[in-house]
């Protein structure tokens, strides 16, 4: 056993089918909040109106200007609305972009956030925030953005289409996989990550086969919660660095980018992290982890390469330069520009990289 540090975070989680209808009001009672700002997309507006009906008298405004990767201008509009209505708490109902907008409000105002996730992003239990400006994504860590309570209700994920369920679930998978070599890796996060991988790998095929399967939806939502906890505890490494660069620079869809890139980073890092590879493989059902992850991606029907997400081949060099500037120092395998180019070229094309040995 190596020496380690582990910072447990005070994120409160309430989990259950129907919980968003029955438990939200009590969470605001706990906070003593009487002037709640809602954050949701237009798509979620009818759902949110229904959820807050029991305490509608405490809701003072709704912000629906959510955009992917939280542009700075959007954050500013949301903060101004919070100030103008004198909000004393924020309720975010939606995916990672919605949670991220609520976090951006909390970052400058200190307002407490209650989150109700409707995807598998895992953002709702991390103190990480992200903002985008001029094609560059800035991320940071601040305990003030960590939601005070999270209400997990698998019923709200029943409407998530199969393709988004698959990519969002693999975004959560990426948090778990990367927790094994991220800078603050520790035995607790690894334990959580391994169980997260197992839950996601078990539930996702059933969710994609039948979106109404509430049991499978619950399993995947549980896995995404564990994924967020693993990410918060261990931090991020090469995989998240690559995906943040690609998302910020080329406006690629966040979850799908993670889903496409993950097997390539796992294949790249596995030789330098044999214990991680063994545990990831075990959680995926046994055998070679890269092969198992690729097989899962194929079964879930995820896009093959970044080119299918709209990235152009002539953007690979720019991506290499941007990632090279922020590559984590202690990645299990040394990363230079040539290695990065090989990895990104393979992820772009959707083919195994030159350093990989394909399994039968
Ligand atoms: P998203 O929030 O952008 O949502 C994707 C799409 O799904 C949207 O069109 C949304 O309206 C729709 N949607 C959401 N829930 C739905 C449902 N139940 N049914 C039908 N449609 C639904 O995507 P995301 O992948 O959840 O989040 C991505 C963002 O989260 C990125 O900005 C990423 O950086 C951030 N993120 C942050 C962290 C963190 O710890 N800070 C972790 C993971 C992701």
């Amino acid at each position: 056993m190596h020496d380690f540090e582990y910072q447990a975070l005070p994120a409160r989680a309430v989990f259950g089918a129907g919980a968003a209808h029955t438990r939200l009001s009590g969470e605001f009672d706990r906070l003593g909040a009487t002037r709640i700002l809602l954050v949701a997309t237009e798509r979620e507006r009818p759902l949110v109106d229904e959820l807050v009906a029991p305490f509608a008298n405490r809701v003072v405004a709704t912000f629906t200007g959510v955009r992917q990767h939280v542009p700075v201008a959007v954050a500013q509009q949301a903060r101004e609305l919070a100030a103008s209505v004198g909000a004393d708490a924020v309720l975010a109902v939606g995916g990672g972009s919605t949670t991220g907008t609520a976090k951006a409000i909390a970052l400058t105002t200190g307002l407490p956030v209650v989150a109700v996730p409707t995807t598998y992003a895992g953002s709702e239990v991390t103190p990480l925030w992200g903002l985008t400006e001029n094609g560059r994504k800035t991320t940071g860590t601040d305990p003030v953005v960590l939601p005070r309570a999270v209400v997990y209700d698998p019923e709200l994920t029943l409407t998530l289409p199969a393709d988004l369920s698959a990519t969002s679930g693999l975004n959560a998978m990426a948090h778990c996989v990367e927790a094994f070599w991220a800078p603050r890796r520790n035995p607790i996060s690894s334990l959580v990550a391994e169980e997260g991988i197992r839950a996601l790998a078990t539930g996702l095929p059933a969710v994609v086969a039948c979106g109404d399967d509430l049991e499978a939806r619950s399993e995947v939502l549980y896995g995404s919660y564990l994924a967020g906890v693993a990410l918060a505890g261990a931090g991020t490494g090469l995989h998240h660095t690559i995906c943040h660069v690609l998302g910020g620079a080329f406006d690629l869809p966040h979850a799908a980018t993670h889903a496409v890139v993950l097997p390539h980073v796992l294949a790249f890092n596995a030789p330098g992290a044999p214990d991680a590879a063994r545990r990831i493989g075990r959680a995926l059902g046994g055998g070679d982890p890269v092969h198992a992850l690729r097989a899962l991606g194929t079964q879930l029907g995820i896009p093959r390469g970044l080119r299918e997400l709209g990235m152009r081949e002539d953007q690979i060099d720019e991506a290499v330069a941007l990632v090279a500037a922020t590559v984590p120092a202690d990645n299990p395998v040394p990363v230079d520009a040539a290695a990065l180019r090989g990895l990104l070229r393979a992820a772009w094309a959707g083919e195994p990289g030159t350093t990989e040995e394909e399994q039968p």
Side-chain angles (χ1 to χ4, degrees), residues 4 6 14 18 20 27 41 101 158 167 170 175 188 191 198 200 212 250 256 268 275 298 337 354 360:
F4 70 91
Y6 177 69
V14 174
E27 293 307 318
T41 64
T101 307
L158 292 172
T167 55
L170 289 175
H175 304 333
I188 318 299
L191 188 72
R198 188 208 56 75
L200 292 164
D212 292 336
F250 312 123
F268 183 80
D275 187 53
T298 303
T354 49

Side-chain angles (χ1 to χ4, degrees), residues 41-44 47 66-70 94-100 103 117-130 132 137 139-140 155-161 164 167-168 171 175 217 228 231-232 240 244 253-256 258:
T41 64
E42 275 300 338
R43 195 203 68 82
E44 278 114 20
L47 165 72
V66 173
R67 295 287 174 276
Q68 202 187 208
H69 303 310
V70 197
S97 301
T98 304
T99 309
K103 286 177 164 183
T118 61
T119 68
Y120 307 126
S123 160
E124 64 283 347
V125 285
T126 81
L128 306 171
W129 55 265
T132 307
K137 186 160 185 172
T139 57
E155 286 181 359
L156 301 191
T157 63
L158 292 172
T159 50
L160 196 63
L164 274 176
T167 55
S168 186
N171 181 199
H175 304 333
R217 289 283 187 186
L231 169 69
H240 284 74
H244 283 172
H254 176 84
H258 274 269

Side-chain angles (χ1 to χ4, degrees), residues 1-258:
M1 171 73 63
H2 297 291
D3 296 350
F4 70 91
E5 285 181 20
Y6 177 69
Q7 178 67 53
L9 294 171
R12 175 181 155 76
V14 174
F15 201 104
H21 283 93
T22 57
R23 305 291 298 271
L24 266 179
S25 160
E27 293 307 318
F28 286 104
D29 292 344
R30 289 171 66 94
L31 292 172
T34 56
R35 300 189 62 77
I36 301 163
L37 171 65
L38 292 185
V39 179
T41 64
E42 275 300 338
R43 195 203 68 82
E44 278 114 20
R45 185 82 191 249
L47 165 72
V48 174
D49 287 344
E50 190 189 310
L51 295 181
V52 302
F55 53 100
N57 59 334
R58 286 195 269 166
V59 175
V60 289
T62 305
F63 181 78
T64 57
V66 173
R67 295 287 174 276
Q68 202 187 208
H69 303 310
V70 197
V72 167
V74 167
Q76 201 44 40
Q77 287 165 14
R79 291 164 179 163
E80 281 165 13
L81 179 59
S84 71
V85 298
D88 62 5
V90 180
L91 169 60
V93 182
S97 301
T98 304
T99 309
T101 307
K103 286 177 164 183
I105 299 172
L107 185 63
T108 55
T109 63
L111 289 178
V113 174
V114 174
V116 182
T118 61
T119 68
Y120 307 126
S123 160
E124 64 283 347
V125 285
T126 81
L128 306 171
W129 55 265
L131 289 167
T132 307
E133 191 170 32
N134 301 326
R136 297 292 176 262
K137 186 160 185 172
T138 309
T139 57
T141 302
D142 192 323
V144 80
V145 308
L146 180 73
R148 301 288 180 88
V150 185
V151 176
Y152 286 99
D153 183 348
E155 286 181 359
L156 301 191
T157 63
L158 292 172
T159 50
L160 196 63
D163 57 344
L164 274 176
S165 298
T167 55
S168 186
L170 289 175
N171 181 199
M173 181 73 79
H175 304 333
C176 295
V177 167
E178 186 119 295
F180 283 98
W181 55 69
R184 299 191 312 279
R185 59 191 170 277
N186 62 78
I188 318 299
S189 297
S190 298
L191 188 72
V192 170
E194 194 171 337
E195 168 67 356
I197 293 171
R198 188 208 56 75
L200 292 164
T202 305
L204 277 172
V207 159
V208 168
C210 174
D212 292 336
D213 185 337
L214 191 60
E215 191 56 39
R217 289 283 187 186
S218 298
E219 189 74 2
V220 176
L221 196 59
Y222 166 62
S224 74
Y225 164 56
L226 297 177
V229 172
L231 169 69
T236 61
L238 178 64
H239 171 82
H240 284 74
T241 303
I242 291 173
C243 293
H244 283 172
V245 163
L246 296 174
F250 312 123
D251 201 27
L252 300 185
H254 176 84
T257 304
H258 274 269

